[in-house]
Amino acid sequence: MSEACLFCNIAAGNIPSQKVYSDEHIVAFRDISPAAPQHILLIPRKHILSVAQLEDEDQALMGHLMLHARKVAEQEGFAESGFRCVLNTGDDGGQTVGHLHLHLLAGRGLSWPPG
Ligand code: AMP
Ligand code: ZN
């Protein structure tokens, strides 16, 4: 854990969040400023800055994270209506929190392309 990192502290339970799923590898919680009726963030417990820092050893962890995007979508009831998975990466990718997170957005028709 990186002690200064917001999402490490959420994963550790030091900062409150509305968790919808957690296991030994990942945590999923509701975004504090939802951009859609359903907006959940999935994070690895391991502190990884972004997709740009992924290593070969993170392959299984990222597979686990992606698989649980589907499982959380089913749990929350929007797997059939559809959803979007987003991994903002770096400055041009619009990333504001330096701990890799997958946005799971649902509950309305989402436009494309993003701004
Ligand atoms: P990004 O801009 O892709 O880095 O996404 C960061 C996301 O984290 C934004 O959607 C924020 O609303 C969300 N966020 C920031 N602080 C918190 C928090 N304490 N609890 C839940 N979500 C947060
Ligand atoms: Zn972190």
Side-chain angles (χ1 to χ4, degrees):
M1 165 174 164
S2 172
E3 288 181 11
C5 172
L6 172 63
F7 285 178
C8 280
N9 276 292
I10 285 179
N14 300 329
I15 291 175
S17 68
Q18 281 188 270
K19 290 196 176 65
V20 298
Y21 177 80
S22 79
D23 64 27
E24 63 181 310
H25 301 297
I26 64 169
V27 180
F29 54 96
R30 297 196 188 283
D31 196 291
I32 203 166
S33 180
Q38 298 265 20
H39 189 170
I40 293 165
L41 301 174
L42 284 85
I43 65 169
R45 288 186 182 276
K46 177 181 176 184
H47 181 79
I48 302 169
L49 187 60
S50 80
V51 170
Q53 280 75 35
L54 284 172
E55 304 281 357
D56 289 352
E57 67 183 29
D58 299 319
Q59 183 169 333
L61 175 60
M62 290 306 292
H64 186 80
L65 189 85
M66 198 72 237
L67 178 64
H68 282 77
R70 189 271 285 170
K71 292 189 177 187
V72 170
E74 285 183 355
Q75 174 188 302
E76 298 300 312
F78 54 76
E80 283 196 20
S81 53
F83 54 92
R84 184 170 294 168
C85 298
V86 177
L87 287 153
N88 294 331
T89 303
D91 289 342
D92 282 359
Q95 184 175 5
T96 61
V97 176
H99 180 127
L100 189 154
H101 48 281
L102 185 150
H103 294 261
L104 190 53
L105 298 145
R108 65 172 170 83
L110 298 162
S111 60
W112 189 264

